Amino acid sequence: MKIENKEFWEREDVIYSQDKTVENTANYEAYLYEKAVAYFQAQQISIQQAKVFGCGTAREVKGLLEFMDIQKIYATDISENMIAKGRENIQRWGFSDKVTLGVQDAVTYTAPEATFELVTLMSCILTFVATQKERYTLFQMVHRILKPNGCLLGVVHNQVGTPQKTFYFWLRRLFKPLHRNEVGNRNTGFYGFNVKGYYFSKAGLYDHLKDNGFKNIEIKSLSELYKEMGIPYNRLKGYNNLIFFATK
């Protein structure tokens, strides 16, 4: 069943699926957070303000505050119901003085230039930005609202993973001219719902970041990261997401 992005994330069953792991920080998220901590320490930058896009029920916000000394976090999500649950969690964790949650579409978000030391695009939020024009608009906005030497962290769905997914995108790349350069388009979602989505290649993600002014770009698949960490990873079953780090 086809469903629009916002409608999908307003569903109670979808919100429950996201909130049931709310206490957990994944090891690849911890890797990004620790990398950011080391970067800010080397640059002698304190994190006064951070911006979290696609915060869902605030699981990521909790993880950020556990790893980093952040004075204030502004977190937004497209779903009113996700934000309502997130506010409950933030209050339960005792973070109300540090965290402000709000409802906002990331693509249309605005803030003054050079506002944040840190911006995150975790939880594969970019999967649900289905056109290159909107993705570039989002990256341009993020670059603008970051302070000089600010840091961007993110996670996206990868075109390489299970054999079926890898073969699907191999075929789309083979017939790239027919897809108007949107090779990564693919329906996503779960519980029988299909939502328009976009899956990245490493090269495509690098271009998105570089074309919009980012530097010090590092991109790894989960299979690559886990190999470095000495942790088994079954790419035949896993999402094999891409994680990325970049600076302004």
Side-chain angles (χ1 to χ4, degrees), residues 7 52 71 79 89 104 109 113 136 148 152-153 161 166 173 205 207 234:
E7 184 181 0
V52 173
Q71 297 304 306
S79 166
N89 289 331
Q104 177 71 52
Y109 179 81
E113 184 175 352
Y136 269 52
L152 170 63
L153 308 177
T166 303
R173 286 192 296 273
L205 178 56
D207 288 344
N234 188 348

Side-chain angles (χ1 to χ4, degrees), residues 38-50:
Y39 169 78
F40 285 123
Q41 288 176 346
Q43 296 291 322
Q44 296 185 324
I45 296 174
S46 61
I47 311 174
Q48 299 300 312
Q49 296 189 106

Side-chain angles (χ1 to χ4, degrees), residues 64-178:
L64 283 171
L65 288 172
E66 289 174 344
F67 279 83
M68 303 185 201
D69 182 14
I70 304 173
Q71 297 304 306
K72 188 71 176 181
I73 293 180
Y74 296 89
T76 53
D77 195 277
I78 197 172
S79 166
E80 287 95 339
N81 292 330
M82 284 279 190
I83 289 296
K85 186 63 179 178
R87 286 183 174 131
E88 293 178 10
N89 289 331
I90 291 299
Q91 185 174 14
R92 176 163 59 89
W93 296 326
F95 294 151
S96 298
D97 60 330
K98 283 198 168 189
V99 179
T100 299
L101 299 180
V103 179
Q104 177 71 52
D105 186 335
V107 176
T108 59
Y109 179 81
T110 59
E113 184 175 352
T115 298
F116 304 102
E117 287 84 11
L118 174 68
V119 174
T120 69
L121 295 167
M122 306 289 282
S123 302
C124 293
I125 176 179
L126 287 165
T127 300
F128 302 93
V129 186
T131 69
Q132 180 170 299
K133 181 179 179 181
E134 288 185 325
R135 290 191 300 275
Y136 269 52
T137 296
L138 195 157
F139 276 117
Q140 290 163 7
M141 175 272 295
V142 170
H143 190 271
R144 182 178 58 79
I145 67 176
L146 274 173
K147 291 184 177 180
N149 299 313
C151 176
L152 170 63
L153 308 177
V155 182
V156 299
H157 277 306
N158 190 354
Q159 292 179 13
V160 176
T162 63
Q164 299 94 323
K165 181 175 71 171
T166 303
F167 181 68
Y168 172 85
F169 287 114
W170 177 83
L171 283 177
R172 288 184 66 87
R173 286 192 296 273
L174 192 64
F175 297 98
K176 184 176 180 179
L178 300 178

Side-chain angles (χ1 to χ4, degrees), residues 184-242:
N185 286 145
R186 185 191 190 200
N187 284 338
T188 186
F190 43 89
Y191 294 153
F193 294 100
N194 291 322
V195 185
K196 290 180 181 178
Y198 186 85
Y199 289 59
F200 284 85
S201 65
K202 286 183 74 173
L205 178 56
Y206 183 88
D207 288 344
H208 274 65
L209 291 162
K210 184 178 180 182
D211 288 350
N212 292 290
F214 290 94
K215 60 185 181 180
N216 299 319
I217 300 168
E218 178 187 300
I219 302 170
K220 294 182 181 183
S221 68
L222 293 189
S223 57
E224 291 170 332
L225 175 66
Y226 287 7
K227 184 177 181 180
E228 290 180 10
M229 298 172 71
I231 300 174
Y233 185 81
N234 188 348
R235 207 185 82 184
L236 299 179
K237 295 182 179 180
Y239 287 110
N240 200 33
N241 292 340
L242 297 172

